[in-house]
Amino acid sequence: MIYPWIWGKLPGGRYVKTVCAVLLVAAAGSLLWYVVFPLVDLLLGLDEVTVEPSAGQP
Amino acid sequence: MPYQQDDDDLWEPPSRRLARGVGELMVTLGVIALLFAAYAVYGKAWRIEAEQHLIDDRLNRTWATANAGEAPAPGQPLARLHIPKLDMKWAVVEGVTQADLRKGPGHYPKTARPGEIGNMAVAGHRIPSVFWDIDRLREGDTIVAETRNAWFIYSVTGHREVRPTAVEVVAPTPDQPGVPPERAMLTLTTCNPKFQNWQRLVVFAELTRSQAKSAGRPPELEKRK
């Protein structure tokens, strides 16, 4: 129900709302791509590629 | 009152509103998961490709300005690695920290340098612009290390999966820690299976010959099997 609520809060008519919505999606997407995903990736440790004495130890 | 005159929304029972809310949440999480999958495959690859452009230029500049004998600083490029079979080449940086590996394949500090007797060990991400396909390398395939003055042609001797703690694969004599090295080896490590981290894929290669830069590009670089 969050999307209809956001749509209702966006200013202007249908076209202004559409532009605002696209901007919001782009902002959320870049936040995920450039900030959240790199952090998540580090936490998951899927990019450990070296052999070392302590690697992979729980 | 089934209908709210001054609201655009149709009236719904609470259970239906809840179901729609949960549905929206599920779709949102699904889209985020797909986006993360795209990031894991392409996003990281693009970032490393961009870094490789910079690091490759820096390597060329370093080679143009003498002092080739110096050990490279951590995070700085020290050599180029070519795998003709996979149509890949990279500038290899010194060090295997996460920051180093974001620039491309990294050279394990204190292991041999290209062409030296010992074991030159290199780690790289298992993503499309780095070591994605090195499991396709077979015995006899060529890996070429390029330094300022020479080409070193290594021939793959085999590959296998090991546990992440198997440090013996990067020992000067692979698999025999403490044994003084007699041969010049090259060892690549990456994660295995793809996108998982409970194993390491290791490719071993042995130096077969070297060639001075002044003698031109080695024919092995053009060969595609």
Side-chain angles (χ1 to χ4, degrees), chain B residues 32-51:
Chain B
I32 291 177
L34 279 177
L35 199 61
F36 182 68
Y39 171 81
V41 180
Y42 300 108
K44 284 163 72 180
W46 287 334
R47 269 173 45 183
I48 287 190
E49 277 168 34
E51 286 284 347

Side-chain angles (χ1 to χ4, degrees), chain B residues 18-29:
Chain B
L18 182 72
R20 290 217 309 163
V22 171
E24 267 184 9
L25 191 69
M26 296 282 198
V27 170
T28 307
L29 290 178

Side-chain angles (χ1 to χ4, degrees), chain B residues 57 81 114 142 204:
Chain B
D57 287 345
L81 212 57
T142 304
F204 298 100

Side-chain angles (χ1 to χ4, degrees), chain A residues 1-4 29 32-34 36-38 40-42 44-57, chain B residues 17 20 24 28 32 35-36 39 43-44 47 96 98 101 108 123-125 164-165 167 170 189-191 195 197 200:
Chain A
M1 307 307 286
I2 192 76
Y3 298 118
L32 285 171
W33 189 273
Y34 293 105
V36 180
F37 288 168
V40 171
D41 202 52
L42 273 183
L44 287 177
L46 295 183
D47 51 1
E48 288 171 358
V49 293
T50 58
V51 287
E52 48 192 291
S54 61
Q57 296 288 346
Chain B
R17 284 178 66 89
R20 290 217 309 163
E24 267 184 9
T28 307
I32 291 177
L35 199 61
F36 182 68
Y39 171 81
K44 284 163 72 180
R47 269 173 45 183
V96 289
Q98 294 292 349
L101 293 173
Y108 285 76
H125 286 311
T165 51
V167 286
V170 298
T189 71
T190 191
C191 61
F195 299 121
N197 66 354
R200 297 293 178 269

Side-chain angles (χ1 to χ4, degrees), chain B residues 19-135:
Chain B
R20 290 217 309 163
V22 171
E24 267 184 9
L25 191 69
M26 296 282 198
V27 170
T28 307
L29 290 178
V31 169
I32 291 177
L34 279 177
L35 199 61
F36 182 68
Y39 171 81
V41 180
Y42 300 108
K44 284 163 72 180
W46 287 334
R47 269 173 45 183
I48 287 190
E49 277 168 34
E51 286 284 347
Q52 276 281 304
H53 278 293
L54 299 175
I55 232 64
D56 205 70
D57 287 345
R58 197 176 302 162
L59 189 60
N60 283 330
R61 281 204 304 277
T62 314
W63 284 350
T65 61
N67 62 30
E70 277 176 34
Q76 297 303 308
L78 81 160
R80 211 173 272 136
L81 212 57
H82 303 252
I83 303 185
K85 183 186 187 179
L86 306 179
D87 202 12
M88 298 295 275
K89 70 163 188 175
W90 309 274
V92 178
V93 299
E94 177 73 7
V96 289
T97 65
Q98 294 292 349
D100 297 328
L101 293 173
R102 269 198 283 277
K103 299 173 187 165
H107 175 244
Y108 285 76
K110 300 193 184 99
T111 63
R113 294 174 65 189
E116 283 181 356
I117 296 291
N119 188 7
M120 175 187 175
V122 176
H125 286 311
R126 193 80 185 270
I127 56 176
S129 55
V130 195
F131 286 171
W132 184 251
D133 274 332
I134 62 169
D135 54 331

